[in-house]
């Protein structure tokens, strides 16, 4: 079988991608790959503690490799670190990088360009799928996830800490994608058919944080346009 690693965010799209990939007989996921914020020792963007990430990997029965960044990392630094880490994976005989992306064209193009420099190919098991159907399947297949982060422009703090179920989907505003594919919300998966046991956790406090754009001549992640973006996020701590 061909060897691949999965970019693991701890959230539902990554988990559902792993489920789909493990149904295939030509590709073997040999490692999870996660970006972490070394300022707070949490998963980048999702804000999940490393202890919970490690508990996921243990329950999934897969080794974990980390890419470490500071909280306000520039794209130049991000790209250099990612290149170093993915070269390690390539040296281990891995030829494919798997992602849970669904329809962000610019992001996919950026990923594929960077991967080609290393000799890796991208695999996107959820690509172009209907997001409403995807999350409904996710729920029906027995996966369980809790919302850990929301973009304050789209969702208020009341959505943080909620379980992703059918009522959650009904309560989402019409301008929010069902999978949060535009960054409206992020999640932590704690149970499902790919886990040997459920991940135990408790819900802690909710906090609001803002982030500044880091400018180094290459600060816009995936396009050459100067795109305005909201920097306020609600986080729900899990421990």
């Amino acid at each position: 079988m061909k060897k691949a690693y999965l970019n693991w965010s701890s959230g539902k799209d990554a988990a559902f991608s792993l489920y789909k990939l493990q149904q295939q007989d030509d590709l073997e996921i040999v490692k999870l790959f996660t970006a972490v914020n070394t300022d707070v020792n949490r998963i980048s963007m999702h804000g999940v503690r490393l202890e919970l990430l490690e508990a996921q990997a243990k329950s999934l029965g897969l080794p974990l490799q980390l890419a470490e960044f500071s909280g306000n990392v520039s794209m130049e630094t991000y790209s250099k670190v990612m290149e170093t880490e993915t070269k390690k994976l390539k040296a281990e005989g891995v030829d494919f990088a798997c992602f849970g992306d669904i329809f962000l064209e610019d992001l996919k193009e950026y990923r594929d360009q960077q991967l080609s420099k290393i000799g890796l190919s991208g695999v996107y098991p959820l690509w172009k799928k209907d997001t409403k159907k995807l999350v409904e399947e996710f729920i029906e297949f027995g996966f369980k996830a809790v919302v850990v982060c929301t973009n304050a422009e789209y969702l208020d703090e009341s959505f943080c800490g909620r379980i992703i179920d059918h009522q959650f989907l009904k309560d989402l505003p019409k301008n929010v994608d069902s999978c949060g594919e535009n960054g409206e919300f992020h999640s932590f998966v704690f149970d499902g058919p790919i886990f040997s046991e459920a991940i135990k956790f408790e819900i802690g406090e909710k906090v609001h944080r803002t982030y500044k754009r880091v400018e180094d001549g290459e600060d816009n992640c995936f396009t050459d346009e100067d795109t305005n973006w909201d920097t306020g996020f609600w986080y729900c701590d899990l421990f």
Side-chain angles (χ1 to χ4, degrees):
M1 296 177 68
K2 300 174 183 177
K3 292 184 178 181
Y5 70 89
L6 174 64
N7 287 268
W8 182 260
S9 64
S10 81
K12 58 177 178 47
D13 296 339
F16 208 32
S17 293
L18 179 58
Y19 176 81
K20 295 284 188 181
L21 291 163
Q22 289 181 335
Q23 310 304 308
Q24 301 180 15
D25 57 6
D26 62 340
L27 201 65
E28 178 187 8
I29 302 299
V30 297
K31 186 171 285 189
L32 303 177
F33 183 61
T34 305
V36 299
N37 181 338
T38 55
D39 293 348
V40 292
N41 288 322
R42 296 172 183 260
I43 299 174
S44 298
M45 202 58 243
H46 287 223
V48 172
R49 295 170 184 262
L50 291 189
E51 294 91 339
L52 288 171
L53 169 63
E54 291 166 351
Q56 282 184 323
K58 181 179 178 181
S59 184
L60 292 169
L62 289 169
L64 180 66
Q65 180 170 325
L66 304 180
E68 299 179 328
F69 305 95
S70 64
N72 280 318
V73 62
S74 69
M75 276 309 298
E76 182 179 1
T77 300
Y78 175 86
S79 297
K80 288 180 179 178
V81 173
M82 291 298 288
E83 181 177 353
T84 297
E85 294 301 324
T86 50
K87 281 182 176 179
K88 294 178 184 178
L89 290 160
K90 178 65 176 178
E92 295 174 6
V94 174
D95 291 315
F96 297 89
C98 303
F99 300 88
D101 301 323
I102 304 173
F103 58 65
L104 299 181
E105 297 279 0
D106 289 343
L107 179 56
K108 182 177 183 296
E109 181 180 353
Y110 169 81
R111 295 198 197 285
D112 288 339
Q113 287 176 348
Q114 298 303 308
L115 291 171
S116 65
K117 298 177 182 179
I118 313 299
L120 295 167
S121 299
V123 177
Y124 304 83
L126 306 184
W127 188 247
K128 295 298 184 180
K129 304 293 185 182
D130 182 278
T131 53
K132 182 67 177 299
K133 292 181 178 178
L134 275 177
V135 71
E136 288 177 343
E137 284 184 2
F138 176 86
I139 295 168
E140 291 165 5
F141 287 0
F143 283 95
K144 296 180 181 179
V146 57
V147 175
V148 292
C149 173
T150 62
N151 185 321
E153 182 180 1
Y154 297 96
L155 297 171
D156 61 39
E157 63 178 304
S158 68
F159 282 89
C160 272
R162 287 190 59 175
I163 300 299
I164 296 179
D165 53 18
H166 293 295
Q167 186 59 53
F168 173 83
L169 298 180
K170 290 180 182 179
D171 292 342
L172 286 177
K174 292 183 179 179
N175 66 332
V176 173
D177 180 74
S178 298
C179 281
E181 180 66 356
N182 296 305
E184 300 98 328
F185 64 91
H186 300 290
S187 61
F188 173 79
V189 178
F190 60 91
D191 201 2
I194 57 177
F195 292 95
S196 62
E197 60 180 3
I199 311 302
K200 298 179 181 180
F201 68 93
E202 293 184 18
I203 294 178
E205 66 175 341
K206 298 177 185 179
V207 297
H208 183 269
R209 299 191 184 282
T210 57
Y211 297 92
K212 296 180 180 180
R213 181 189 295 267
V214 176
E215 296 187 9
D216 61 0
E218 195 180 352
D219 59 323
N220 194 331
C221 296
F222 311 114
T223 71
D224 293 327
E225 300 176 2
D226 184 15
T227 305
N228 293 321
W229 53 287
D230 187 80
T231 58
F233 297 88
W234 282 103
Y235 287 93
C236 177
D237 194 16
L238 304 182
F239 59 93

